[in-house]
Amino acid sequence: MDTKDYIDFFEELDDEDRLNARFGIDKRRPYQRMTRKLINEERKFVREQDDSSASFKFTYKAARFEEWWLLESLGDFYEHQWISDVLLRLKGGKEASVYLCRSGSAVDAPLVAAKVYRPRSLRNLKNDGQYRTGRADLDENGNVIVDDGALHAMKKRTAYGEELRHQSWIAYEFQTLEMLHAAGADVPRPHAMEKNAILMDYVGEVGRAAPTLNTVNLEPDEARPLFERVIRNVDLLLSNERIHGDLSAYNILYWEGDIRLIDFPQVVQPKTNPAGWNIFLRDVIRLCQYFNSQGIRSNARKLAADMWTSHGYRITREVHPRDLDADRKEDRNLWEEQKGEK
Ligand SMILES: Nc1ncnc2c1ncn2[C@@H]1O[C@H](COP(=O)(O)OP(=O)(O)OP(=O)(O)O)[C@@H](O)[C@H]1O
Ligand SMILES: [Mg+2]
């Protein structure tokens, strides 16, 4: 197994544009250095692996590197009986893959979904700076990091610091799910978090995972109630001082008339993030855009402003999407389109 195999495994999960950007000639060498480090870690792990019958074996036929990564990431879930088997990969996303697992005895549902983040070095980092602003970093137990050494490492972006940031990103996803689930929001019930993965309720049934809302054509009579329900969730997030930050029909699962909001690592706190209003507005515009395609007319800017101000937040100067998230051309178009509706 050489560097190329690792790249192939992840290339399979990636789309061409991102690959070109990420594995362009200039970026290839540091990437390969990181990959070599992973190969060494994998070898060490394989040497240490106990071959006894107690070790974790699963049904899903993974490529070798992927198998190692799953053993690393899900082994503790298995030991603590949160899961008993990995059945299949549901989806490979930009920064994580989601697997369907058979539950262990610690979970009172037959199936669960495990979101397994890519190794930090192979993760296609979202432009995470804008989301991290005004947000304290969390450790692997979900506690705010206060240790000076750790804070310094993150600031200086040392390898250790990057590891902490990666961990914090995942901890935010889990903690947010916990908080929102307790608050009654439509999110999958979270079960457990490990260093590199989170476990939550699986939405769907065997052989049929819930589609994301963007692929669903709603019945005329269900579009309006569903729109109102999504907006209620957005408002409930605000009541809990949270903005999703990457909300759109792509991050909502639809199952038999029901919805679940997913994908929370970039969650933003409206009080402390100076771009809060802009990020919130973008979420609402994207949602309205999908529902518009389903025949629901709305004024996204007004809707967003009403919710925002009803929670006592101030509308700040609008930032051009260029300064919010340089990579996303579609955001710029959304902004331009919506300007007329002020
Ligand atoms: N609880 C779940 N039940 C069923 N399917 C799920 C669940 N969570 C995630 N998925 C599937 O996995 C996909 C990726 O999940 P998620 O959006 O959290 O990860 P991501 O890495 O951010 O992906 P992307 O880059 O595609 O947004 C979802 O679009 C959905 O198809
Ligand atoms: Mg997603």
Side-chain angles (χ1 to χ4, degrees):
M1 179 105 175
D2 62 14
T3 311
K4 189 169 171 307
D5 296 318
Y6 288 77
I7 295 174
D8 285 348
F9 168 60
F10 281 101
E11 282 193 354
E12 187 205 319
L13 303 176
D14 258 306
D15 70 46
E16 217 179 312
D17 282 354
R18 277 206 316 275
L19 274 173
N20 288 341
R22 186 156 163 69
F23 302 130
I25 300 300
D26 293 341
K27 291 183 181 151
R28 196 155 183 122
R29 288 187 57 190
Y31 170 73
Q32 289 194 339
R33 258 205 310 281
M34 294 312 294
T35 311
R36 253 179 247 123
K37 203 175 142 209
L38 279 170
I39 295 176
N40 290 335
E41 278 180 37
E42 182 209 8
R43 289 200 178 125
K44 191 163 149 252
F45 179 84
V46 171
R47 274 200 302 277
E48 288 167 5
Q49 228 340 34
D50 170 14
D51 249 356
S52 76
S53 58
S55 67
F56 182 20
K57 302 211 168 54
F58 42 80
T59 306
Y60 170 60
K61 294 270 166 289
R64 186 176 150 197
F65 173 62
E66 185 186 14
E67 182 177 340
W68 164 68
W69 189 241
L70 288 177
L71 288 170
E72 272 274 280
S73 306
L74 301 180
D76 284 346
F77 289 154
Y78 176 75
E79 285 210 348
H80 294 111
Q81 296 178 11
W82 291 103
I83 61 170
S84 60
D85 197 1
V86 182
L87 300 174
L88 53 96
R89 186 167 76 210
L90 291 167
K91 187 122 183 262
K94 290 186 215 82
E95 56 179 355
S97 294
V98 178
Y99 295 85
L100 174 63
C101 302
R102 196 179 299 291
S103 309
S105 57
V107 178
D108 61 356
L111 298 169
V112 276
K115 180 168 177 177
V116 181
Y117 278 78
R118 292 174 174 212
R120 175 177 56 82
S121 52
L122 300 185
R123 202 182 108 196
N124 187 8
L125 280 166
K126 273 187 194 162
N127 175 11
D128 67 350
Q130 60 161 308
Y131 305 107
R132 293 181 69 257
T133 307
R135 182 173 107 162
D137 283 296
L138 303 177
D139 66 16
E140 61 196 50
N141 300 313
N143 298 319
V144 171
I145 297 176
V146 288
D147 176 72
D148 281 345
L151 292 173
H152 185 73
M154 280 187 284
K155 195 159 167 226
K156 291 282 168 210
R157 305 200 74 146
T158 65
Y160 171 57
E162 293 294 275
E163 199 55 53
L164 292 171
R165 281 168 66 132
H166 177 70
Q167 183 66 68
S168 175
W169 192 250
I170 299 168
Y172 262 104
E173 167 137 58
F174 186 69
Q175 202 181 64
T176 305
L177 281 175
E178 276 191 315
M179 181 180 76
L180 294 177
H181 187 260
D186 294 313
V187 299
R189 175 173 54 142
H191 294 291
M193 175 178 92
E194 276 305 331
K195 215 169 168 344
N196 203 55
I198 63 167
L199 208 61
M200 64 190 133
D201 272 356
Y202 167 65
V203 189
E205 61 185 23
V206 184
R208 201 159 65 100
T212 49
L213 191 57
N214 61 298
T215 65
V216 178
N217 259 325
L218 299 172
E219 298 295 329
D221 60 344
E222 69 172 337
R224 163 110 5 230
L226 213 60
F227 176 57
E228 283 166 7
R229 182 148 167 205
V230 169
I231 295 302
R232 256 204 320 279
N233 274 277
V234 172
D235 196 59
L236 184 60
L237 258 79
L238 270 190
S239 310
N240 285 277
E241 300 186 9
R242 295 293 182 276
I243 302 165
H244 184 291
D246 190 20
L247 194 54
S248 72
Y250 287 84
N251 277 328
I252 298 178
L253 300 178
Y254 175 88
W255 187 248
E256 295 174 345
D258 216 348
I259 49 155
R260 293 286 177 274
L261 276 56
I262 57 164
D263 202 3
F264 286 92
Q266 70 289 314
V267 69
V268 166
Q269 292 164 1
K271 265 190 191 159
T272 46
N273 189 312
W277 160 244
N278 286 274
I279 294 171
F280 180 72
L281 178 58
R282 184 179 60 189
D283 278 2
V284 177
I285 290 176
R286 283 189 184 147
L287 290 173
C288 290
Q289 214 190 24
Y290 165 76
F291 280 98
N292 189 36
S293 77
Q294 301 299 309
I296 303 298
R297 303 273 166 267
S298 57
N299 181 332
R301 192 175 291 274
K302 181 169 183 320
L303 182 62
D306 288 349
M307 275 193 276
W308 188 253
T309 51
S310 78
H311 287 277
Y313 299 124
R314 253 178 358 96
I315 292 180
T316 54
R317 186 178 66 85
E318 235 160 72
V319 176
H320 193 278
R322 185 183 47 235
D323 303 320
L324 201 60
D325 192 343
D327 297 336
R328 304 182 90 141
K329 199 163 118 235
E330 73 270 26
D331 289 342
R332 203 165 310 161
N333 297 340
L334 276 177
W335 235 252
E336 302 301 336
E337 271 171 34
Q338 288 280 326
K339 259 190 182 152
E341 291 191 23
K342 255 187 206 175

